[in-house]
Amino acid sequence: MAAELARGQNHPLSQLRLEIRVAAGQSVVAAATLGDERGRIHGVEWVAHPGTPTLPGLEVSKQAAADHRLAVDLGAMPEAVHRVSVLLALPLGGDGPARFGAVAAPFVAVTGLDGTEVASYTITGLDAESAVVALELYRRQGAWKVRAVGQGYAGGLAELLTDQGLPHAPHLAGTINEAVAHGLARSVAAPPPRTPDGDRTRQTATPALGPEGSGPTTQGASGAVAPQPTSPYTTQGTPGTVAPQSGFPGSAAPADPAATQPAAPATDGPIDYSHPRRHQTGAPPSPAPTAAPAPPGQAARPVAGDATGWSMEERLYNQVWGMFEDLARTMAAYRSAVDFADSRMEKELDQALSDPRSRIGGQGDTAREAAQAKHAQLVDQARAALDRDLAQLAAESDVVEPALPPAFAGWDNPVWHGYRVPMEIPMAVRLGDLHLPESPELRIPMLVRLPLERGLWIDSGGAESLDGSFTDSHELRRLALDTAVAHAARLLAVYPAGEFAVQVIDPAGSAAQALVPLVHTGVLAAPPAVGAAGVTDVLTRLTQRVDLVQMAVRGGAADSLPPGLDTAEQLLIVNDFPHGFDDRAVTQLRYLADEGPSVGVHLMMVADREDAAGYGPLLDPLWRSLMRLTPLPDDHLADPWVGHAWTYEPSLAPSGSQVLRQVLTEVATARTKLR
């Protein structure tokens, strides 16, 4: 029976391999320190934190999260270690609370590898503290025990580490905070918490001032009219139209309606929306009755929409995120098991070869072979469990992917063949796919909530690809622009007609070819702005728009906005930054990145960070505020649970497909009907 500890109580540990699970209800940083017999830390190399998550016998999360699982192997601890302290701290510099008294009491549990709880502790009584020693594992007379500590520090990690005797504690605390900030910048945002009645929470974008008409000239400070630079976009003809094709917008119906529907499950009864591995406590009731159970000895058949939610869209959204979390935790268990097998083999080999007598004759070879055989057995067992979980997730993915609505579906999904402009804003939008190196064929849709809470940065820098090859810089910029156009087209397609507008800043006109789908279909709010004057004009209007709406909302006078106000959300695509940007324009861009999303103005930067290196650290907050995406596969994103490095691939239309132009033509036609 698990022991529920109070502050100061201890409990013996009968296992050496453990997990420490943390549930805080709020994003927290988890770390651990190793101490000697007196509890003193010998140096920074005895601290596991998001910047250095792995030590011998210990692994912590790589980023801040509401839930953590720390892996502990007490048998692999160095002989000098007699104490392992588990630390929790609130992240600095974010929008979250600055003290534990403002959040729910954190819960910490020590469990076996099978999830069996050994001891737990709810940390109560905290107020102004921003860091706390939750519990400690300590060695006494050769046996390990766990003690509930609950010692808080108002001075944060710096004060906590100083109290444990670590030299230069403030410097390490700063390093940890920087690692956490970097992790949050690269992390895919987890879904928002559900309301008590099970309904989803949706942000409502504040109406924002629409773009005013702008002429082809700019008036300078002297009042003279300066000629605009030649624009590659003014030579385009009348926005073209695409002849309807069978199964595409403009046709009466898809060529093969059955192709757009998922295969029906082979059962005579109604669909069962329960999932054998996910609890639905407190969730809204499913509209469908329970189907017949699966045959004995067989896994439950996966079905699309197998999650909680009031609508099929919400159930599919939650199901995709459930698959994302399942794969992250399954892979974490596999990697932890392999790491344990590696460390165990190394320890057994060291013990076998530490005696000089075992190096003579066949005794050493026998010990080596036994250790390697045990290692292979443990790895095979872990791989078998992983393959079983991957097969179940793959079967679920095969059912879910064809059933996704356009906002969640890839461009190659037949659902786009019957696309019609939606009547309401969806919960989220798909920006690409995520996968892990152990299972590259299992792709998880990367769904980002709408309205966007962060801008997007399509990185056109010439970094080395995952396969070790390099892409020409011009080709990489072209791919980055194609990715930006695909994302912009999807956002236009998933919003109701007239509720989303796209503007483009292209100072040198270098994106003319890539922007053809947006320009020719007439879905842009205005022709792409070129030259320094165009940059200034667009940024000034959008900055004024943000200021106006913020003042109206803060003053409680949102209804008194100008009658000609365009309430559509705005996406500003910026190409070739910082070309054409002066210091004032850079300041305005940073302002839009920080303040724009809350009032419906979003950024999409297509840029190479090295091009703006001359600004130094001035632009670091800008890059951190944007979600970095890449035109080529790259493992730069992390999940919000374990912190795995996931390979991201953008969602692009198949080569030679006209689906992008077809969809944009449908959007432009729907807008015309509103006028």
Side-chain angles (χ1 to χ4, degrees):
M1 183 176 179
E4 296 183 7
L5 303 179
R7 183 173 182 178
Q9 285 185 327
N10 60 43
H11 185 75
L13 297 174
S14 59
Q15 305 176 53
L16 295 181
R17 293 196 66 208
L18 303 165
E19 274 193 352
I20 299 176
R21 304 187 180 188
V22 178
Q26 173 68 37
S27 183
V28 297
V29 181
T33 60
L34 306 180
D36 57 18
E37 291 180 329
R38 296 181 298 172
R40 313 300 285 182
I41 307 173
H42 288 194
V44 294
E45 65 276 5
W46 279 34
V47 182
H49 57 83
T52 307
T54 304
L55 295 178
L58 180 63
E59 184 175 1
V60 303
S61 303
K62 297 179 181 179
Q63 61 192 49
D67 299 305
H68 292 272
R69 290 189 181 186
L70 284 66
V72 179
D73 182 3
L74 297 174
M77 291 288 172
E79 292 296 331
V81 173
H82 288 260
R83 185 174 303 178
V84 181
S85 299
V86 178
L87 322 178
L88 303 179
L90 294 172
L92 299 180
D95 298 331
R99 59 188 186 91
F100 275 108
V103 302
F107 174 81
V108 186
V110 179
T111 73
L113 295 184
D114 59 355
T116 303
E117 190 172 298
V118 178
S120 64
Y121 173 43
T122 301
I123 310 172
T124 59
L126 299 178
D127 186 10
E129 297 88 347
S130 60
V132 60
V133 179
L135 50 79
E136 63 181 13
L137 313 178
Y138 63 98
R139 178 158 43 188
R140 184 69 53 82
Q141 297 179 349
W144 285 91
K145 296 183 179 182
V146 57
R147 175 187 291 122
V149 180
Q151 177 63 52
Y153 296 84
L157 280 174
E159 182 181 352
L160 186 157
L161 295 172
T162 300
D163 188 50
Q164 291 198 348
L166 178 68
H168 311 295
H171 177 73
L172 178 59
T175 301
I176 295 175
N177 291 327
E178 289 179 5
V180 171
H182 178 71
L184 292 175
R186 63 189 287 266
S187 173
V188 180
R194 299 175 62 86
T195 56
D197 62 354
D199 194 10
R200 65 175 181 263
T201 56
R202 182 197 295 276
Q203 285 186 329
T204 302
T206 307
L209 186 60
E212 302 293 338
S214 57
T217 60
T218 302
Q219 187 171 0
S222 62
V225 177
Q228 288 282 13
T230 302
S231 170
Y233 306 101
T234 58
T235 60
Q236 308 291 352
T238 304
T241 58
V242 179
Q245 301 178 13
S246 177
F248 283 83
S251 302
D256 182 10
T260 65
Q261 301 295 332
T267 176
D268 296 332
I271 295 175
D272 179 15
Y273 288 95
S274 63
H275 194 290
R277 295 179 294 111
R278 299 183 193 136
H279 300 287
Q280 301 190 25
T281 305
S286 170
T290 303
Q298 297 185 16
R301 184 182 299 109
V303 292
D306 182 14
T308 59
W310 292 109
S311 65
M312 177 56 79
E313 178 197 47
E314 185 175 7
R315 291 198 292 270
L316 287 169
Y317 172 82
N318 290 333
Q319 185 173 14
V320 169
W321 270 93
M323 294 166 56
F324 189 11
E325 182 176 2
D326 284 351
L327 182 55
R329 297 198 184 281
T330 292
M331 200 60 67
Y334 169 73
R335 292 178 178 178
S336 177
V338 172
D339 289 343
F340 169 72
D342 292 342
S343 63
R344 176 170 180 162
M345 182 177 67
E346 292 177 2
K347 186 175 182 179
E348 290 178 350
L349 290 176
D350 289 342
Q351 290 176 347
L353 300 178
S354 60
D355 186 355
R357 292 173 296 179
S358 65
R359 303 172 192 170
I360 303 175
Q363 187 176 356
D365 294 338
T366 302
R368 184 181 299 103
E369 292 174 359
Q372 292 173 344
K374 184 63 175 178
H375 174 269
Q377 179 185 0
L378 292 174
V379 172
D380 290 344
Q381 290 176 351
R383 186 69 208 193
L386 175 65
D387 289 342
R388 182 182 63 248
D389 292 342
L390 291 179
Q392 184 173 0
L393 286 170
E396 189 172 8
S397 177
D398 291 342
V399 174
V400 169
E401 190 70 43
L404 296 177
F408 300 174
W411 285 111
D412 57 349
N413 193 310
V415 72
W416 289 105
H417 296 184
Y419 168 77
R420 293 296 182 269
V421 177
M423 299 299 293
E424 62 178 20
I425 303 174
M427 290 185 63
V429 66
R430 183 174 187 161
L431 294 181
D433 296 332
L434 299 169
H435 67 269
L436 292 170
E438 291 89 344
S439 57
E441 69 286 346
L442 182 55
R443 307 297 178 95
I444 303 295
M446 178 179 165
L447 303 183
V448 177
R449 292 280 294 198
L450 291 178
L452 296 174
E453 297 179 358
R454 299 171 63 186
L456 305 177
W457 166 29
I458 315 300
D459 190 357
S460 60
E464 183 180 357
S465 62
L466 289 178
D467 59 4
S469 62
F470 288 88
T471 304
D472 177 77
S473 60
H474 297 290
E475 176 67 11
L476 195 57
R477 290 178 186 272
R478 183 190 66 79
L479 293 173
L481 285 168
D482 289 343
T483 302
V485 169
H487 291 332
R490 181 180 289 270
L491 288 167
L492 285 165
V494 303
Y495 272 79
E499 294 193 20
F500 196 86
V502 176
Q503 300 188 58
V504 178
I505 289 178
D506 186 23
S510 60
Q513 184 62 36
L515 294 173
V516 164
L518 299 177
V519 174
H520 277 193
T521 54
V523 294
L524 291 181
V530 296
V535 172
T536 300
D537 177 59
V538 173
L539 292 178
T540 299
R541 285 190 286 108
L542 289 178
T543 301
Q544 291 174 347
R545 169 197 180 111
V546 171
D547 289 339
L548 175 64
V549 177
Q550 281 188 338
M551 287 188 294
V553 172
R554 291 169 182 170
D559 295 337
S560 63
L561 290 168
L565 180 70
D566 179 9
T567 59
E569 290 191 48
Q570 301 289 317
L571 175 68
L572 175 61
I573 301 177
V574 179
N575 183 43
D576 271 351
F577 177 80
H579 180 78
F581 282 73
D582 55 19
D583 290 344
R584 183 171 183 271
V586 170
T587 301
Q588 290 175 321
L589 193 68
R590 286 186 55 186
Y591 177 74
L592 292 177
D594 293 337
E595 304 294 336
S598 64
V599 291
V601 177
H602 312 282
L603 282 183
M604 183 185 293
M605 302 275 291
V606 184
D608 180 359
R609 187 169 183 173
E610 292 300 320
D611 292 343
Y615 287 93
L618 176 66
L619 291 181
D620 286 350
L622 172 64
W623 303 118
R624 283 198 298 265
S625 69
L626 305 174
M627 177 182 288
R628 177 176 175 257
L629 303 177
T630 54
L632 295 175
D634 189 79
D635 58 350
H636 66 282
L637 291 176
D639 63 80
W641 304 285
V642 185
H644 292 315
W646 292 73
T647 298
Y648 165 82
E649 291 189 30
S651 180
L652 302 176
S655 178
S657 172
Q658 294 295 314
V659 63
L660 205 68
R661 192 182 293 266
Q662 299 278 359
V663 169
L664 291 175
T665 300
E666 189 78 9
V667 171
T669 302
R671 286 185 175 183
T672 302
K673 295 178 180 179
L674 294 178
R675 297 171 184 170

